[in-house]
């Protein structure tokens, strides 16, 4: 079993930056994919970034590409989301998630399905104009 816990959310102005962290505890050998999702009130949950640590493959949604960066530490004990040039539309609760990556999976599809096995409790990000 894997437990995830996010931190680093907060309030910033447009153009600001935040770095979200997520600690990964438990049976980390079962994890081969790490991801960040967000959910804003009145909107569908959106997968914004995914990472396969074993071969450093990454995927970003169009809404954050070029502004957000997903990374991890070498032991998969933590996953990060560096968020730059933040916009009011980035305001949401951000969740880290973890699961298994199967050879041939398209990361965009994995994010679209959102069927990862472990989820954190979320951290709030608010961007003011």
């Amino acid at each position: 079993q894997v437990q995830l816990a996010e931190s680093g959310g907060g309030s910033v102005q447009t153009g600001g930056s935040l770095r979200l962290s997520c600690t990964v505890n438990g049976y980390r050998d079962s994890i081969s994919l790490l991801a960040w999702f967000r959910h804003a009130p009145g909107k569908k949950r959106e997968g914004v970034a995914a990472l396969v640590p074993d071969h450093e493959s990454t995927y970003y949604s169009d809404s954050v590409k070029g502004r957000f960066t997903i990374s991890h530490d070498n032991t998969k004990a933590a996953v990060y989301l560096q968020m730059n040039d933040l916009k009011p539309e980035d305001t949401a609760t951000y969740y880290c998630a973890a699961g298994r990556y199967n050879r041939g999976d398209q990361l965009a599809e994995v994010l679209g399905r959102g069927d990862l096995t472990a989820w954190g409790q979320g951290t709030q990000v608010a961007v003011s104009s």
Side-chain angles (χ1 to χ4, degrees):
Q1 194 172 2
V2 174
Q3 299 83 39
L4 307 177
E6 305 93 339
S7 61
S11 298
V12 296
Q13 292 188 323
T14 297
S17 297
L18 283 173
R19 187 183 192 226
L20 305 183
S21 299
C22 175
T23 56
V24 182
N25 291 306
Y27 187 49
R28 290 195 291 270
D29 286 348
S30 67
I31 296 302
S32 52
L33 185 147
L34 299 163
W36 287 93
F37 290 77
R38 67 185 181 187
H39 195 186
K43 296 185 178 180
K44 287 181 58 177
R45 185 183 64 189
E46 177 188 13
V48 297
L51 167 68
V52 180
D54 286 350
H55 46 77
E56 298 295 339
S57 296
T58 57
Y59 172 84
Y60 299 94
S61 66
D62 288 342
S63 59
V64 306
K65 194 177 299 181
R67 300 187 297 122
F68 289 13
T69 303
I70 187 171
S71 61
H72 69 102
D73 74 346
N74 290 335
T75 64
K76 292 188 288 186
V79 58
Y80 309 102
L81 187 68
Q82 177 66 42
M83 306 187 295
N84 298 328
D85 189 23
L86 283 161
K87 305 175 181 181
E89 51 264 41
D90 295 318
T91 295
T93 300
Y94 284 73
Y95 300 87
C96 65
R100 293 199 65 85
Y101 174 77
N102 299 308
R103 185 189 296 270
D105 280 348
Q106 298 298 313
L107 294 181
E109 293 177 0
V110 173
L111 288 184
R113 293 195 307 266
D115 54 353
L116 280 76
T117 54
W119 292 79
Q121 293 299 307
T123 186
Q124 299 270 3
V125 171
V127 185
S128 58
S129 57

